[in-house]
Amino acid sequence: MTLRVGIVGISGFGGGEALRLIAGHPSFDLVYAAGESSAGLRLVDRFPGVPARLADLVIEPWDPASLPALDVLFASLPTGRSAEALARVPASVKIVDIGGDHRYAEGWAYGLADIWPDRIAGRSRVANPGCFPAATLTALAPLLSAGLIEPGHIVIDAKTGISGAGRGGGDSRFGYAESNENLVPYGLLQHVHMPEIATTIAQLSGGSAAGLVFTPHLVPMTRGLLATIVCRGRATTAECLDAARRFYAGRAFVRVTDAPPQTKWATGSNLAFVSYAADPERDLVIAMGAIDNLGKGAAGQAVQNANLICGLPESTGVDGAPVWP
Amino acid sequence: MTLRVGIVGISGFGGGEALRLIAGHPSFDLVYAAGESSAGLRLVDRFPGVPARLADLVIEPWDPASLPALDVLFASLPTGRSAEALARVPASVKIVDIGGDHRYAEGWAYGLADIWPDRIAGRSRVANPGCFPAATLTALAPLLSAGLIEPGHIVIDAKTGISGAGRGGGDSRFGYAESNENLVPYGLLQHVHMPEIATTIAQLSGGSAAGLVFTPHLVPMTRGLLATIVCRGRATTAECLDAARRFYAGRAFVRVTDAPPQTKWATGSNLAFVSYAADPERDLVIAMGAIDNLGKGAAGQAVQNANLICGLPESTGVDGAPVWP
Amino acid sequence: MTLRVGIVGISGFGGGEALRLIAGHPSFDLVYAAGESSAGLRLVDRFPGVPARLADLVIEPWDPASLPALDVLFASLPTGRSAEALARVPASVKIVDIGGDHRYAEGWAYGLADIWPDRIAGRSRVANPGCFPAATLTALAPLLSAGLIEPGHIVIDAKTGISGAGRGGGDSRFGYAESNENLVPYGLLQHVHMPEIATTIAQLSGGSAAGLVFTPHLVPMTRGLLATIVCRGRATTAECLDAARRFYAGRAFVRVTDAPPQTKWATGSNLAFVSYAADPERDLVIAMGAIDNLGKGAAGQAVQNANLICGLPESTGVDGAPVWP
Amino acid sequence: MTLRVGIVGISGFGGGEALRLIAGHPSFDLVYAAGESSAGLRLVDRFPGVPARLADLVIEPWDPASLPALDVLFASLPTGRSAEALARVPASVKIVDIGGDHRYAEGWAYGLADIWPDRIAGRSRVANPGCFPAATLTALAPLLSAGLIEPGHIVIDAKTGISGAGRGGGDSRFGYAESNENLVPYGLLQHVHMPEIATTIAQLSGGSAAGLVFTPHLVPMTRGLLATIVCRGRATTAECLDAARRFYAGRAFVRVTDAPPQTKWATGSNLAFVSYAADPERDLVIAMGAIDNLGKGAAGQAVQNANLICGLPESTGVDGAPVWP
């Protein structure tokens, strides 16, 4: 079975990674690509290494009224830009929205695929989690589900590679010379990802994430995202690791490791690595989650979600090993 | 058909990339991994993101006398370390040597797969080209074959990412803090890759590469290799591009581009990008070749060679699109 | 007045930065350099850009018994390597120990120069703070002194550039190819800098740092260190900033900024940048400190300390503006 | 004696480096700063680490009609933007133009300070050399002056850090995620710096630079520039090194090294490193020059030129040692 798929937002980093994964997906046939800054170009003009069979596909201006027949549409648009347009996509076209407009929106499944695959399978509208929530919640879910930590006292320090800021029209803050050799905290006490994290913590634990603190940072690397999370709970390190290994038993994409996870372990893949260190005498648990922000944090999880909603094996086309070094 | 394959030199960068590609190859089953610094570890201890089915394979100390039954062995050992040991591998085991000991050695095919696939198919011993020769010769071959440049006046300025220096036991010259933000020329007038390049130029052109100049540089990036080559010849830019497009017509991995090629176009792939700029009034042709030094420059071409000697379609398992950004 | 100074540990990153600063210091004359890996070389062999007047100074093997007449010795040796040797340095030679062996050791002043200059002036043995403590304590001191946060609930997430790991004999974990594009948490719940931080918090606040959590990370950049610190306290952002501006009024090297501090602001300088964000309704204060780990975190503060113990103006030779970009 | 100096183009990288050097210059007092994107801001808003005494200087919109009384103006404007405006600066104000509009222009000295200081001293209008010419010509001048190479056969392969492309309004080609891990040749056979190089070669040699080839590349690092130059000549390596040592005897900023020069040797300084490797049997000489593109390639040489035209010792304020690592 081959499904006809499209990408809107092909010019951005999330769209580009979706293209790479879809190009290698045995059941997806890319028949439509849309973007703003690259409309009118052929795919090969924008992505010189695209497979030859896709080279001459012309990137179209994004217009939901002029879609070809599609089974699945991947949308990777800036936050605030997809809600109205995606509402006009025919119901027959399944959508995975990598952007931020539909997380916990009515009618949309929340696509935390490693944790809630059953909420996604069979749906036709899925909102991909944000990159920070993906790493954070993957690390926290086993502890919250097992009651090993208190949902109301969670302090997240998150670090992302600069592709997480998007291509952004060339904002000079993200220029090479100014970003290289620089480490930048931002969005203190007001980051857009907090409600999504808080809602999911509440669903996983049954309690309130009242004390949530979330501090994001930009790190001088292209890809990679790490969440270092300080929690309150009386578990030992072994109990945390065991809980996570049980929680993710049989799941393809989450690896529970004894050593602290490094972002490079995940580069180019849909994997998430989680680990834990605890000091039960101090009611202290440190949880860590490492992903590729464009993989599990964006396009990788999006393809996993598309597989789920299309009834394909979950790992199809996203089982590539990470790129090292 | 599934072939039993092994890797020796799994601890190094070339070996690691071979592992990634073999893990995703539909006809290769990795049954043997050997290495020095990581012997005794499981694959997952060394490569945390390795597919689950390979995780528990134990890395063995390298001993050609104790190989399991294998169809193909990939060898990625430091130069000077493979000649004696590989001579003891049974003749029934096909070998692709990514290392430097067997290039133009007796009994070994020279594995310049995009140019001379017929010399490789059906052989049982193939020496992979060096990373610098791979980029250089891919760019030069069409011009030399068509007689558009003089073989005796070729000036190569080559730049490689630091993985090209190998893992090297942690030589502090390649430490992050000293290599980052640094650009280093080395091996002036004496680089080990020169004879291989000169021999191939002579074979491609029928003339002598007497005036060859080759200057390598280390560039602060992990992967990527660019050769910028100044040649003498009266062709126009269009004639060079046309010659290359004809030369590589129907070949899967070489892309001829109008714009100067960038190394990032090839990252994580087996692609090579070539382009040309000429000033016929000054008898001047500039040829450029860009590759991933661990892809086309090492493990990617090695898998392509293995496909050729095993009678598989050349692109099997190495047709992944490049990673961007 | 010109003072005769020496450096031991010249081969390392801290020693190299001390050399740069001392070479530009108007009252210091470098007459002695010792090191292990570079003993026997001239300074220019190891540091090609060293000023001409110092070029031919020969690096000696480190032996406290054969020191020339010195006013000040800067020691930048690995932790565990300076205690015994420095005990044999004549009392007439003032010492600033950049290494970790003498922090809060008997007979040694703790050289937190921006906060406690009076404890340092006139002493002859000063232990430089660690790089993580320097950033952390500079950010926390105003809040602790003013009672705006509780000393017993401090959660530090710290990130350092890779030079913070030292030259280390070329440990391949710190090789370029493996460190680049990688973000690595380490030393969880057991980092060597914790006692130093806890002791200083207690001294600044009069309370116990019982709940201290400290999680260090290696970030792919050469220089730069950021501490992001989550505290409990009822202050507003404005109150925290005001407290810090009062605390550091008249001090040369600490800048209190409204925006979150970036590490690149400090590169190559002895500056520290601190800022704060608070949510008094949640008893939450986030404090941030950014430094150059080799500047304020090592050699910069060491020269500042040397100035203090020699009776020179504190900023002499360390008032250079940061390097940007 | 304190001179009143100004900078126009303070927002760019060259202007920023000029600010750093002027802030540390014992005879220069910065009284004027102008820029476009940062007009209206205080210096400290744009450069958080600027010395306190300069923090509140307000950046003005650039208007040559409203200059304060100045002894020297440093201009660092994009090419094509300074010719008209600088013509309106009063003759009483000396100008060093870091930009590209006045190189070999009538009435302007060409500021190749290490080679032709006598052409600069006493002048009131000096055009700083481009960054590529600075590295290239510093390496070639001794060979051309001594007749060791032929001026008509010079092949330059040049590599610059990305700050060399300017801040540029945030062109996304220079964004971190797209520039990192990428190596980009550009401007083939048509780079703007070629006439300046050719003219200077002709002046140094008395011959024509007819065969000049110049190929620039962008390298993923912030600062640093290397020119690798293949020449025709019969000299030995020793003869080239000797010629350079004689040529630069007594000059402060050029270091002739036996080993190939690395860009990091020069970072943050006004130094240039040159070296040579020759094969007289093949009439082959390789010359190399390494600089900081913002130091000797821009602001460092500009301050050196300002010293020369103001009658100050040439090294004043630009004798800082390089930053390492």
Side-chain angles (χ1 to χ4, degrees):
Chain A
M1 176 188 64
T2 298
L3 300 171
R4 295 168 56 88
V5 309
I7 303 172
V8 54
I10 192 86
S11 313
F13 296 142
E17 183 71 349
L19 169 61
R20 179 175 80 92
L21 295 172
I22 291 166
H25 194 291
S27 301
F28 286 169
D29 186 18
L30 185 74
V31 297
Y32 173 74
E36 280 188 17
S37 66
S38 47
L41 298 177
R42 298 170 303 155
L43 276 184
V44 73
D45 300 324
R46 186 71 193 77
F47 300 96
V50 75
R53 70 180 188 283
L54 296 174
D56 293 326
L57 186 68
V58 175
I59 301 172
E60 305 194 17
W62 164 228
D63 177 5
S66 64
L67 290 178
L70 288 178
D71 293 296
V72 185
L73 177 68
F74 293 88
S76 185
L77 296 161
T79 296
R81 300 282 297 283
S82 56
E84 187 274 337
L86 294 184
R88 295 191 284 138
V89 172
S92 62
V93 180
K94 295 182 178 70
I95 303 177
V96 179
D97 188 1
I98 302 176
D101 285 4
H102 294 106
R103 295 167 193 155
Y104 287 111
E106 193 180 331
W108 289 74
Y110 181 65
L112 200 58
D114 300 309
I115 296 174
W116 290 324
D118 295 345
R119 298 188 184 187
I120 299 159
R123 300 292 295 272
S124 81
R125 294 288 182 274
V126 179
N128 229 40
C131 53
F132 285 122
T136 299
L137 298 168
T138 306
L140 289 179
L143 307 187
L144 291 165
S145 296
L148 295 178
I149 57 170
E150 300 176 21
H153 291 88
I154 292 176
V155 173
I156 305 162
D157 190 285
K159 304 96 178 164
T160 183
I162 295 174
S163 65
R167 285 188 80 213
D171 186 321
S172 76
R173 288 177 302 160
F174 309 130
Y176 183 88
E178 293 174 78
S179 295
N180 187 35
E181 290 279 304
N182 198 9
L183 178 51
V184 180
Y186 69 99
L188 276 79
L189 299 178
Q190 56 187 10
H191 196 278
V192 65
H193 283 151
M194 285 194 63
E196 178 185 351
I197 295 174
T199 299
T200 311
I201 288 174
Q203 292 201 11
L204 287 163
S205 68
S208 158
L212 189 64
V213 180
F214 175 75
T215 313
H217 302 75
L218 278 178
V219 170
M221 56 189 194
T222 297
R223 291 174 176 233
L225 190 153
L226 178 75
T228 311
I229 314 162
V230 176
C231 313
R232 190 185 289 179
R234 196 149 295 178
T236 64
T237 300
E239 287 167 344
C240 295
L241 291 167
D242 286 350
R245 291 192 169 111
R246 281 194 307 272
F247 189 86
Y248 291 115
R251 305 296 295 137
F253 294 115
V254 184
R255 306 285 172 89
V256 183
T257 63
D258 291 343
Q262 307 182 7
T263 60
K264 204 177 184 79
W265 294 355
T267 301
S269 81
N270 189 40
L271 296 174
F273 293 86
V274 299
S275 189
Y276 307 92
D279 181 352
E281 298 195 3
R282 297 167 66 202
D283 271 17
L284 176 65
V285 173
I286 300 179
M288 292 155 285
I291 62 171
D292 182 334
N293 59 299
L294 297 179
K296 175 59 68 190
Q301 178 136 271
V303 171
Q304 184 181 357
N305 277 320
N307 290 336
L308 286 167
I309 63 179
C310 295
L312 296 168
E314 188 179 25
S315 300
T316 313
V318 279
D319 54 357
V323 175
W324 178 88
Chain B
M1 176 187 65
T2 298
L3 301 170
R4 295 167 55 87
V5 309
I7 302 172
V8 54
I10 191 85
S11 313
F13 297 141
E17 182 71 347
L19 169 60
R20 180 174 78 93
L21 295 172
I22 291 166
H25 193 293
S27 301
F28 287 168
D29 186 19
L30 185 74
V31 298
Y32 172 74
E36 281 189 16
S37 65
S38 47
L41 300 176
R42 298 170 303 154
L43 277 183
V44 72
D45 299 325
R46 186 73 192 75
F47 300 96
V50 75
R53 70 179 188 283
L54 297 174
D56 292 328
L57 186 68
V58 174
I59 300 171
E60 304 194 17
W62 164 229
D63 177 4
S66 64
L67 290 180
L70 287 178
D71 294 296
V72 185
L73 177 67
F74 292 88
S76 183
L77 296 161
T79 296
R81 300 284 297 283
S82 57
E84 186 274 336
L86 294 184
R88 295 191 283 136
V89 173
S92 62
V93 180
K94 296 183 177 70
I95 303 177
V96 179
D97 188 2
I98 301 175
D101 286 3
H102 294 105
R103 294 167 192 156
Y104 287 109
E106 192 181 331
W108 290 74
Y110 181 64
L112 200 57
D114 299 309
I115 296 174
W116 291 323
D118 295 345
R119 299 189 183 185
I120 299 157
R123 300 291 297 271
S124 82
R125 294 288 182 274
V126 180
N128 229 41
C131 52
F132 285 121
T136 299
L137 298 168
T138 305
L140 289 179
L143 306 187
L144 291 165
S145 296
L148 296 178
I149 57 170
E150 301 176 21
H153 292 88
I154 292 176
V155 173
I156 305 162
D157 192 284
K159 304 95 178 165
T160 184
I162 295 174
S163 65
R167 285 189 80 213
D171 187 322
S172 76
R173 287 177 302 159
F174 309 130
Y176 183 88
E178 293 174 79
S179 295
N180 187 35
E181 290 280 305
N182 198 9
L183 178 51
V184 180
Y186 69 99
L188 274 79
L189 298 178
Q190 57 186 8
H191 196 275
V192 66
H193 283 151
M194 284 194 64
E196 178 185 352
I197 295 173
T199 299
T200 310
I201 287 174
Q203 293 202 12
L204 287 163
S205 67
S208 159
L212 189 65
V213 181
F214 175 75
T215 312
H217 302 75
L218 279 178
V219 170
M221 56 190 193
T222 297
R223 292 174 175 233
L225 189 154
L226 178 76
T228 311
I229 314 163
V230 176
C231 312
R232 189 185 288 180
R234 195 150 294 176
T236 63
T237 300
E239 287 167 345
C240 295
L241 290 167
D242 285 351
R245 290 191 170 113
R246 282 193 307 273
F247 190 86
Y248 291 116
R251 304 296 294 137
F253 294 115
V254 184
R255 306 284 171 91
V256 183
T257 62
D258 291 343
Q262 308 182 6
T263 61
K264 204 177 184 80
W265 293 356
T267 300
S269 81
N270 188 39
L271 296 175
F273 292 86
V274 300
S275 190
Y276 306 92
D279 181 350
E281 298 194 3
R282 296 168 65 200
D283 272 17
L284 175 66
V285 173
I286 300 178
M288 291 155 287
I291 62 172
D292 182 333
N293 60 300
L294 297 178
K296 175 59 69 190
Q301 179 137 267
V303 171
Q304 184 182 357
N305 277 320
N307 289 336
L308 285 168
I309 63 179
C310 295
L312 297 167
E314 188 179 25
S315 300
T316 313
V318 278
D319 55 356
V323 175
W324 178 87
Chain C
M1 176 186 65
T2 300
L3 300 171
R4 295 168 55 88
V5 310
I7 303 172
V8 53
I10 192 84
S11 313
F13 296 142
E17 183 71 347
L19 169 61
R20 179 175 80 93
L21 295 172
I22 291 166
H25 193 293
S27 301
F28 286 170
D29 186 19
L30 186 74
V31 298
Y32 173 75
E36 280 188 19
S37 67
S38 47
L41 299 176
R42 298 170 303 155
L43 277 184
V44 72
D45 300 325
R46 187 71 192 76
F47 300 96
V50 75
R53 69 178 189 284
L54 297 174
D56 293 327
L57 187 67
V58 174
I59 301 171
E60 304 193 19
W62 165 229
D63 177 4
S66 64
L67 290 179
L70 288 178
D71 294 297
V72 185
L73 178 67
F74 292 88
S76 184
L77 296 161
T79 297
R81 300 283 296 284
S82 57
E84 186 275 335
L86 294 184
R88 295 191 284 137
V89 172
S92 63
V93 180
K94 296 182 177 70
I95 302 177
V96 178
D97 188 2
I98 301 175
D101 286 3
H102 293 106
R103 294 168 192 155
Y104 287 109
E106 193 181 331
W108 289 75
Y110 181 64
L112 201 57
D114 299 310
I115 296 172
W116 291 323
D118 294 346
R119 298 187 183 186
I120 299 159
R123 301 291 296 272
S124 81
R125 294 288 182 274
V126 180
N128 229 40
C131 53
F132 285 121
T136 299
L137 298 167
T138 305
L140 289 179
L143 307 187
L144 291 165
S145 296
L148 296 177
I149 57 171
E150 299 176 22
H153 291 88
I154 292 176
V155 174
I156 305 163
D157 191 284
K159 302 97 177 165
T160 184
I162 295 174
S163 66
R167 284 189 80 212
D171 186 322
S172 76
R173 288 177 302 159
F174 309 130
Y176 182 88
E178 292 175 79
S179 296
N180 188 36
E181 289 280 306
N182 198 7
L183 177 52
V184 180
Y186 69 100
L188 274 78
L189 298 179
Q190 57 187 11
H191 196 277
V192 66
H193 283 152
M194 283 193 64
E196 178 186 350
I197 295 174
T199 300
T200 310
I201 288 174
Q203 292 201 12
L204 286 163
S205 68
S208 159
L212 189 64
V213 179
F214 175 75
T215 312
H217 302 75
L218 278 178
V219 170
M221 58 189 191
T222 298
R223 292 174 175 232
L225 190 155
L226 178 76
T228 310
I229 314 161
V230 176
C231 312
R232 188 186 291 178
R234 195 148 296 177
T236 64
T237 301
E239 287 167 346
C240 294
L241 291 167
D242 286 350
R245 291 193 168 111
R246 281 194 307 272
F247 189 86
Y248 290 115
R251 305 297 294 140
F253 294 114
V254 184
R255 305 284 172 90
V256 183
T257 62
D258 291 344
Q262 308 182 6
T263 61
K264 204 176 184 80
W265 294 355
T267 302
S269 81
N270 188 40
L271 296 174
F273 292 85
V274 300
S275 189
Y276 307 92
D279 180 350
E281 297 193 5
R282 296 167 66 201
D283 273 16
L284 176 65
V285 174
I286 300 178
M288 292 155 286
I291 62 171
D292 182 334
N293 60 300
L294 296 179
K296 175 59 69 191
Q301 178 137 267
V303 171
Q304 183 182 359
N305 277 321
N307 288 337
L308 285 168
I309 64 179
C310 295
L312 296 168
E314 189 179 23
S315 300
T316 313
V318 278
D319 54 357
V323 174
W324 178 87
Chain D
M1 177 186 65
T2 299
L3 300 171
R4 295 167 56 88
V5 310
I7 302 172
V8 55
I10 192 83
S11 313
F13 296 142
E17 183 72 347
L19 169 62
R20 180 175 78 94
L21 296 172
I22 291 166
H25 194 293
S27 301
F28 287 169
D29 187 19
L30 186 74
V31 298
Y32 174 75
E36 280 189 17
S37 67
S38 46
L41 299 177
R42 297 170 303 155
L43 278 183
V44 73
D45 299 326
R46 186 72 192 75
F47 300 97
V50 74
R53 69 179 189 285
L54 297 174
D56 292 328
L57 186 68
V58 175
I59 301 171
E60 305 194 17
W62 165 228
D63 177 4
S66 64
L67 290 179
L70 288 178
D71 294 296
V72 185
L73 178 66
F74 293 88
S76 184
L77 296 162
T79 296
R81 300 282 297 283
S82 57
E84 187 274 335
L86 293 185
R88 295 192 283 137
V89 172
S92 62
V93 180
K94 296 183 178 70
I95 303 177
V96 179
D97 188 1
I98 301 176
D101 286 3
H102 294 104
R103 293 167 193 156
Y104 287 110
E106 193 181 331
W108 290 75
Y110 182 64
L112 201 56
D114 299 310
I115 295 174
W116 291 324
D118 295 346
R119 298 187 183 186
I120 299 158
R123 299 292 296 272
S124 81
R125 294 287 182 276
V126 179
N128 229 41
C131 53
F132 285 121
T136 299
L137 298 167
T138 305
L140 290 179
L143 307 186
L144 291 166
S145 296
L148 296 178
I149 57 170
E150 301 175 21
H153 292 89
I154 292 176
V155 173
I156 305 162
D157 192 285
K159 302 96 178 164
T160 183
I162 294 174
S163 66
R167 287 187 78 212
D171 187 323
S172 77
R173 288 178 301 159
F174 309 130
Y176 183 88
E178 293 175 77
S179 296
N180 187 36
E181 291 279 306
N182 198 8
L183 178 52
V184 180
Y186 68 99
L188 273 80
L189 298 178
Q190 57 186 12
H191 195 277
V192 66
H193 283 153
M194 284 194 64
E196 178 185 350
I197 295 173
T199 299
T200 310
I201 287 174
Q203 292 202 12
L204 286 163
S205 68
S208 159
L212 189 65
V213 180
F214 175 76
T215 312
H217 302 75
L218 278 178
V219 170
M221 57 189 191
T222 298
R223 291 174 175 232
L225 189 154
L226 178 76
T228 310
I229 313 163
V230 176
C231 313
R232 188 185 291 178
R234 195 149 296 177
T236 64
T237 300
E239 286 167 344
C240 294
L241 291 167
D242 285 350
R245 289 189 171 113
R246 281 194 307 272
F247 190 86
Y248 291 116
R251 304 297 294 138
F253 294 114
V254 184
R255 305 285 171 90
V256 182
T257 63
D258 291 344
Q262 308 182 6
T263 61
K264 205 177 183 79
W265 293 356
T267 302
S269 81
N270 188 40
L271 295 175
F273 293 84
V274 299
S275 190
Y276 307 91
D279 181 349
E281 298 193 3
R282 297 167 66 201
D283 273 16
L284 176 65
V285 174
I286 300 178
M288 292 155 286
I291 62 172
D292 182 334
N293 60 300
L294 297 179
K296 175 60 70 192
Q301 179 137 268
V303 171
Q304 184 181 357
N305 277 320
N307 289 336
L308 285 168
I309 63 179
C310 295
L312 296 167
E314 189 179 22
S315 300
T316 313
V318 278
D319 55 356
V323 174
W324 178 88

